[in-house]
Amino acid sequence: MARRVKVERRTKETRVIVDLDLDREELRETSVSTGVPFLDHMVETLAYYAGWGLRAAVEEVKRVDDHHVAEDLALALGEAVARAVASGGYRVARFGYAVVPMDEALVLVAVDYSGRPGAWVELPLRREAIGGLATENIPHFLQSLAAAAGMTLHVVTLRGGNDHHVAEAAFKALGMALRQALSPSSGVVSTKGAILPPRS
């Protein structure tokens, strides 16, 4: 059974459409269009390393700044992940982690897809913005994604000087960790015998 879902999120600020295929069985392409170049780059990077097929687009209904674009995309993508995992009966490996170097940067990411959302993100970024994306919205994107997907997420910068490298290493590591955590399992990985769905 293909774990593919389509999600549409509408607010007074944005309209978001996400088409996600966790296993890239039906949707093999990746395309992200938000109007924020660095956000496009990071989400495409995440999808590539996670092994997803992904089409995502954000239309700004009311122009404010990049905050709503990043947040609403993260919430829609997280919802898509949650629905795709649910379609497989929550039979996933559950845990995943990666440590990714990018030149001088080194970032660790660990994921527990448990239905208990929470994010602890340590990204000491110093620039105000990268490619049209305020750096404060990078951890906010990750926190919003974790909340909507229903996963525990830890992101720790072990070393880094170049903000672009640190952020990109984080998204690569997250993709690799999610590829592990969301890979199909023969049963539910929990001593309880159940993984709670994300809280609504």
Side-chain angles (χ1 to χ4, degrees):
M1 180 179 178
R3 298 187 298 172
R4 180 180 180 182
V5 297
K6 295 181 181 180
V7 169
E8 184 171 350
R9 176 181 172 83
R10 289 177 178 265
T11 71
K12 292 181 179 179
E13 289 95 12
T14 64
R15 176 173 178 255
V16 184
I17 299 176
V18 170
D19 185 357
L20 173 67
D21 184 346
L22 289 185
D23 306 302
R24 203 180 283 178
E25 291 183 356
E26 297 178 346
L27 178 62
R28 298 186 179 276
E29 65 185 63
T30 295
S31 173
V32 179
S33 177
T34 67
V36 182
F38 192 67
L39 181 60
D40 293 353
H41 180 39
M42 291 299 95
V43 178
E44 287 171 357
T45 297
L46 166 61
Y48 177 84
Y49 284 92
W52 297 344
L54 175 66
R55 282 199 300 256
V58 181
E59 175 189 349
E60 284 193 273
V61 177
K62 180 181 180 182
R63 178 67 180 171
V64 180
D65 64 13
D66 56 303
H67 177 92
H68 293 297
V69 173
E71 179 181 68
D72 289 346
L73 176 57
L75 292 173
L77 181 57
E79 179 185 345
V81 169
R83 287 173 51 185
V85 171
S87 73
Y90 298 99
R91 295 182 179 90
V92 293
R94 180 177 169 180
F95 297 103
Y97 69 93
V99 180
V100 169
M102 187 167 180
D103 295 350
E104 87 299 337
L106 185 65
V107 180
L108 178 150
V109 172
V111 168
D112 174 11
Y113 194 89
S114 60
R116 296 192 297 272
W120 291 264
V121 180
E122 297 175 19
L123 289 176
L125 304 173
R126 295 167 295 181
R127 289 169 59 180
E128 183 176 336
I130 307 172
L133 180 65
T135 53
E136 67 182 12
N137 288 329
I138 295 173
H140 184 60
F141 177 94
L142 298 172
Q143 291 156 354
S144 299
L145 177 67
M151 64 181 176
T152 299
L153 172 64
H154 290 265
V155 180
V156 180
T157 303
L158 302 176
R159 181 176 292 115
N162 182 299
D163 284 354
H164 186 128
H165 291 167
V166 170
E168 188 162 345
F171 276 81
K172 286 178 178 178
L174 176 58
M176 294 171 68
L178 284 170
R179 184 190 284 257
Q180 296 173 39
L182 302 184
S183 62
S185 171
S186 58
V188 175
V189 181
S190 172
T191 55
K192 296 180 175 67
I195 293 178
L196 297 174
R199 299 166 185 161
S200 57

